């Protein structure tokens, strides 16, 4: 964590920012190792561009911070003390203070009042520059998360069948996500038939019918704090119509092209574009309604985003999803999603289950 803090300080200096303030969330965990609960009492990392960092915590939360392995100085405050004044003292005469992007609005205003002489700017981009380039241990954690969610997909035949509701199937999947190596279930999407045309559909009481295409998009967080996210499309209890089979073939070709194109030195938007051109060329362009992907790490969605307009060059260590989809409103949808990690000369795809249209009895 010391190296991460030092690299963050270097970025602060480069950007003319005097201090970074980070409250509970993925940025705090990344920089300190402390997975603090987002409580009404203020916990805040104070990271000056130069000098020693401090972690401000309520006195009663100090044992939790120590148990989490925090080694930087801990400044505590009692119930009747003003924690924002304490942060202001630690910040000193800073003129530009960066705040983490997910800080509660009430805290933004309170810090503005406590440090009236400082300009406030967003600090999320600074931490994102570090977080989007995964260290070897983080890559290994993402591999383990990918293998864990793959084990769930390999068991899909145990639960996914005609005659059951999406909710019944989803509840079984959620239990398996925990059983197969996660400590939390982040999301379960079971989109059967027409519900598959809604990319962020979750669960409903719709009964799955024979021949239905079913989009299964699932993910969780492991004990190491890293996320999984993988989508496969299934057909249960019969054969889908010919149009769906043709649509899926187009989708699979697009996703394959995107995986083969992704590598260091190409832009994030080019990965999106190459698959979108294939889908559009087959007449489904308007039915691919979302970006190709998102970064992943301690959060399911983080930088870099794989979308038109993002000209960032991909670099070794960047991890992101590749998940094109085609959605026919009122009929069905399909999506294929893998997590890819840039290597020195290509990508490592951590999800290894079949990308073919999976037919279940």
């Amino acid at each position: 964590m010391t190296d991460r803090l030092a690299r963050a300080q270097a970025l602060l200096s480069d950007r003319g920012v005097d201090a970074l303030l980070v409250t509970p969330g993925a940025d705090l965990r990344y920089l300190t190792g402390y997975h603090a609960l987002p409580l009404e009492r203020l916990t805040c990392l104070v990271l000056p561009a130069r000098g020693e960092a401090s972690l401000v915590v309520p006195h009663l939360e100090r044992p939790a911070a120590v148990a989490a392995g925090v080694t930087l100085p801990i400044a505590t405050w009692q119930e009747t003390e003003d924690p924002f004044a304490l942060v202001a003292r630690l910040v000193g005469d800073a003129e530009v203070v960066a705040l983490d992007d997910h800080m509660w609005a009430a805290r933004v205003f309170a810090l503005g009042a406590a440090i009236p002489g400082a300009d406030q700017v967003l600090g999320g981009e600074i931490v994102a520059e570090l977080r989007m380039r995964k260290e070897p241990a983080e890559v290994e954690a993402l591999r383990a998360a990918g293998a864990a969610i793959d084990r769930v997909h390999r068991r899909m035949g145990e639960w996914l069948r005609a005659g059951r509701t999406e909710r019944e199937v989803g509840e079984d999947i959620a239990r398996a996500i925990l059983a197969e190596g996660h400590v939390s279930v982040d999301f379960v999407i079971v989109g059967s038939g027409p519900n598959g045309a809604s990319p962020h559909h979750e669960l409903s009481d719709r009964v799955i019918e024979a021949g239905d295409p079913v989009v299964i998009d699932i993910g969780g967080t492991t004990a190491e704090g890293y996320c999984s996210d993988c989508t496969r499309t299934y057909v249960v209890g019969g054969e889908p119509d010919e149009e769906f089979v043709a649509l899926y073939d187009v989708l699979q070709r697009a996703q394959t092209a995107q995986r083969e194109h992704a590598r260091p030195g190409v832009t994030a938007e080019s990965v999106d574009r190459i698959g979108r051109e294939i889908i559009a060329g087959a007449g489904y362009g308007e039915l691919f309604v979302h970006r190709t992907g998102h970064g992943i790490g301690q959060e399911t969605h983080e930088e870099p985003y794989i979308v038109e307009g993002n000209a960032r060059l991909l670099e070794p260590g960047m991890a992101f999803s590749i998940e094109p989809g085609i959605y026919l409103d009122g009929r069905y949808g399909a999506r294929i999603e893998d997590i890819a990690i840039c290597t020195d000369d290509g990508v490592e795809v951590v999800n290894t289950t079949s990308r073919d249209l999976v037919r279940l009895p």
Side-chain angles (χ1 to χ4, degrees):
M1 300 303 168
T2 301
D3 179 59
R4 292 177 181 177
L5 291 171
R7 286 186 286 134
Q9 286 180 308
L11 285 174
L12 291 174
S13 294
D14 289 345
R15 299 186 183 193
V17 176
D18 298 310
L20 172 68
L21 305 181
V22 183
T23 49
D27 284 350
L28 183 68
R29 182 171 184 173
Y30 177 83
L31 291 169
T32 69
Y34 182 29
H35 185 39
L37 294 175
L39 304 173
E40 73 279 7
R41 298 180 177 92
L42 180 69
T43 291
C44 183
L45 171 68
V46 179
L47 180 64
R50 292 167 295 279
E52 192 171 46
S54 301
L55 183 66
V56 172
V57 302
H59 180 74
L60 75 169
E61 296 294 329
R62 189 179 191 282
V66 172
V70 173
T71 57
L72 65 161
I74 297 175
T76 63
W77 58 277
Q78 298 286 354
E79 289 288 288
T80 57
E81 294 180 311
D82 181 358
F84 300 99
L86 173 55
V87 171
R89 289 197 296 274
L90 292 170
V91 167
D93 58 358
E95 296 180 358
V96 181
V97 175
L99 311 180
D100 78 77
D101 286 7
H102 302 292
M103 185 180 292
W104 294 350
R107 290 176 177 168
V108 173
F109 282 105
L111 287 167
I115 318 170
D119 291 332
Q120 292 181 333
V121 299
L122 288 173
E125 182 182 353
I126 294 168
V127 186
E129 285 293 325
L130 304 178
R131 286 178 53 189
M132 76 173 72
R133 298 171 182 85
K134 269 55 183 182
E135 301 162 6
E138 294 181 284
V139 171
E140 185 55 41
L142 286 169
R143 287 191 190 113
I149 209 66
D150 280 357
R151 290 194 293 271
V152 180
H153 272 293
R154 290 192 179 98
R155 295 179 58 191
M156 204 58 61
E158 297 177 28
W159 320 297
L160 181 56
R161 55 184 176 271
R164 303 194 76 203
T165 67
E166 293 174 349
R167 195 173 311 280
E168 289 170 337
V169 174
E171 289 170 351
D172 287 334
I173 291 172
R175 284 190 286 270
I177 289 173
L178 297 176
E180 294 292 352
H182 300 79
V183 295
S184 67
V185 178
D186 296 339
F187 55 92
V188 176
I189 293 173
V190 180
S192 66
N195 289 337
S198 174
H200 282 174
H201 174 78
E202 293 184 355
L203 304 173
S204 78
D205 292 321
R206 182 183 185 274
V207 176
I208 299 168
E209 300 177 3
D212 271 350
V214 185
V215 178
I216 304 288
D217 184 352
I218 53 178
T221 301
T222 64
E224 291 75 24
Y226 286 79
C227 300
S228 65
D229 187 1
C230 183
T231 308
R232 295 293 184 258
T233 301
Y234 300 83
V235 174
V236 298
E239 286 296 317
D241 64 39
E242 292 182 2
E243 182 179 3
F244 183 82
V245 175
L247 172 157
Y248 192 85
D249 178 67
V250 171
L251 180 66
Q252 191 169 18
R253 285 192 288 113
Q255 207 256 1
T256 298
Q258 289 173 319
R259 284 188 286 109
E260 292 177 347
H261 175 77
R263 64 188 58 250
V266 306
T267 62
E269 65 182 353
S270 72
V271 180
D272 179 273
R273 189 178 303 137
I274 195 169
R276 198 170 297 274
E277 288 174 350
I278 292 172
I279 292 171
Y284 298 114
E286 293 183 357
L287 305 180
F288 180 9
V289 297
H290 54 73
R291 64 195 173 209
T292 284
H294 52 81
I296 190 169
Q298 292 197 14
E299 293 179 290
T300 307
H301 287 193
E302 57 184 55
E303 297 284 357
Y305 291 98
I306 311 302
V307 63
E308 186 67 35
N310 186 2
R312 177 182 291 276
L313 296 177
L314 300 181
E315 301 176 32
M318 290 184 175
F320 47 87
S321 69
I322 299 177
E323 50 176 309
I326 302 175
Y327 311 95
L328 277 68
D329 189 41
R331 297 182 64 189
Y332 40 57
R335 183 164 65 256
I336 305 170
E337 177 185 17
D338 294 304
I339 300 304
I341 304 172
C342 273
T343 62
D344 289 337
D345 57 2
V347 293
E348 174 188 350
V349 179
V350 303
N351 300 111
T352 60
T353 59
S354 175
R355 298 170 190 92
D356 294 338
L357 183 60
V358 181
R359 291 166 168 83
L360 299 175

